[in-house]
Amino acid sequence: MPARASLASVSPPTKPAGRGDVALAAPDPRALLRWYDRHRRELPWRAAPGTRQDSYRVFLSEIMLQQTTVVTVRPYYAAFLARWPTVAALAAAKLEEVLSAWAGLGYYARARNLHACARAVADAHGGVFPDTEAGLLALPGIGPYTAAAIASIAHERRAAPVDGNWERVVARLFAVEEALPKARKRLRALAETLLPDARFGDFAQAMMDLGATVCTPRKPACILCPWRGSCVAQAQGNPEAYPVKAAKAARPTRRGVAFLAVRADGAVLVRSRPEKGLLGGMSEVPSTPWLEGEPADPAAHAPLAAPWQALNGTVGHVFSHFALELTVWRARVAAGTPAPAGHRWVKREGFEAEAFPSVMVKVLEYID
Ligand code: SF4
């Protein structure tokens, strides 16, 4: 729970307008747009002032930016655009190529969705994205946030792409005390009350920029904020208390053994993960199932009979719902060893073409 307002007169945010009875002006969207005109961030996926961005570029950047930082996304965005400059080009790519180019960005379901969506746009819409939120929402892999982002930024539709930045700004402006994730519906409703009458794309991006550069999670720079005179949390003196978040459940640790079979010619035994589920369709070194507790009888899961040797140390990786600890067992086998069903040998020069997730890249460091 946030510290209660030092202003005794601030009412709980359960009131319809959510602004209590502090005498504050309503946030004026034009003030934010004026601020944006002076302080907008220059980003590779952002159109020049006064122009509209292409749907494909908005789509590509927004899918990449989900749960990833701008700094991480920049090189991936440039590489994808250079390799697949249009949605039709991306649709024509093989899924494995897209997954491989995505490696390192994490949350691979996004890469599969990106590809599935590009195919749907190419096949069912002649390579042109729908220009309404509803039309965009009907595409595979496009949720409410991405639909609203493309609709507002590429098509100037009245839409609110409410991301974490929007949520933080709105929660503070209105001092919403309901905790996330339950508060999401209320924050969205309040966000829609802020929308201007025009310049919807700029407004969407202005909210993202305000949240990223001024109304930051820690130490928001309220003195620089165009809405400081309208913000209940700022008036209360406790903006960092918002948004209120429900306590997180502890993240469990799963363990497993990865079997690193290295042939005499340097090739490594790999397989593809099932299309659905965690790291779906990606390449991996075979392993035991990843379960809580110590792996029972790991040898029973070895892909082939070989002189397996357990190596020192573990490979760690943190996924959204669990932490993983893999012990690596390595075996060196003869050059003519055949690959068991569902597996293949891949030489080092072939690694680039494989879609190895970060955790498997760490396992492969144990080859030598
Ligand atoms: S005044 Fe401060 S807390 Fe309120 S929206 Fe602006 S930066 Fe955020």
Side-chain angles (χ1 to χ4, degrees), residues 333-344:
V333 299
T337 306
H343 295 67
R344 57 190 180 277

Side-chain angles (χ1 to χ4, degrees), residues 169 172-173 210 214-216 220-222 225-228 231 233-234 239:
V169 172
R172 289 171 176 176
L173 279 175
L210 188 73
V214 175
C215 195
T216 47
C222 299
C225 179
W227 278 341
R228 64 187 171 282
C231 179
Q234 201 266 339

Side-chain angles (χ1 to χ4, degrees), residues 15-289:
K15 287 199 167 185
R19 302 189 59 72
D21 34 53
V22 176
L24 296 173
D28 182 349
R30 291 168 304 179
L32 182 66
L33 286 166
R34 282 195 295 275
W35 172 85
Y36 181 69
D37 289 339
R38 285 197 302 276
H39 301 290
R40 68 199 293 279
R41 289 179 294 174
E42 293 300 326
L43 298 169
W45 42 87
R46 195 165 268 181
T51 64
R52 261 192 234 174
Q53 186 52 289
D54 167 60
S55 297
Y56 174 59
R57 290 174 184 229
V58 179
F59 160 69
L60 188 59
S61 62
E62 290 298 342
I63 300 280
M64 285 185 167
L65 284 163
Q66 286 164 26
Q67 292 160 319
T68 315
T69 64
V70 165
V71 174
T72 306
V73 166
R74 276 178 190 268
Y76 284 89
Y77 175 80
F80 266 66
L81 212 54
R83 190 163 170 189
W84 299 298
T86 62
V87 70
L90 184 62
K94 287 189 185 145
L95 175 61
E96 300 78 65
E97 292 175 317
V98 175
L99 288 171
S100 173
W102 190 272
L105 265 182
Y107 300 97
Y108 292 90
R110 292 181 298 152
R112 286 195 302 281
N113 287 338
L114 185 83
H115 189 246
C117 183
R119 290 225 157 142
V121 171
D123 295 347
H125 298 273
V128 179
F129 278 86
D131 66 358
T132 63
E133 235 179 317
L136 289 158
L137 259 178
L139 292 169
I142 294 220
Y145 167 77
T146 311
I150 300 174
S152 59
I153 299 170
H155 303 293
E156 275 304 326
R157 298 281 182 185
R158 188 177 195 279
V162 180
D163 66 351
N165 287 316
W166 278 64
E167 284 180 352
R168 186 166 57 256
V169 172
V170 172
R172 289 171 176 176
L173 279 175
F174 296 90
V176 173
E177 293 195 14
E178 191 179 355
L180 283 170
K182 247 184 123 185
R184 214 145 257 156
K185 207 168 154 200
R186 176 166 169 73
L187 292 174
R188 156 162 286 283
L190 289 169
E192 284 178 3
T193 68
L194 298 172
L195 289 175
D197 297 326
R199 297 186 65 190
F200 301 114
D202 282 348
F203 186 80
Q205 294 173 99
M207 285 291 279
M208 295 170 190
D209 282 14
L210 188 73
T213 64
V214 175
C215 195
T216 47
R218 303 266 161 271
K219 297 194 185 350
C222 299
I223 192 78
L224 304 175
C225 179
W227 278 341
R228 64 187 171 282
S230 305
C231 179
V232 180
Q234 201 266 339
Q236 290 176 346
N238 61 346
E240 281 192 39
Y242 302 94
V244 181
K245 291 183 180 155
K248 272 194 186 162
R251 190 185 267 135
T253 298
R254 296 186 192 171
R255 295 187 172 84
V257 172
F259 298 99
L260 188 58
V262 187
R263 222 167 48 175
D265 60 358
V268 171
L269 190 68
V270 307
R271 66 183 179 188
S272 296
R273 292 181 62 84
E275 281 296 325
K276 295 236 178 292
L278 182 75
L279 305 175
M282 304 208 66
S283 306
E284 69 171 4
V285 166
S287 71
T288 62

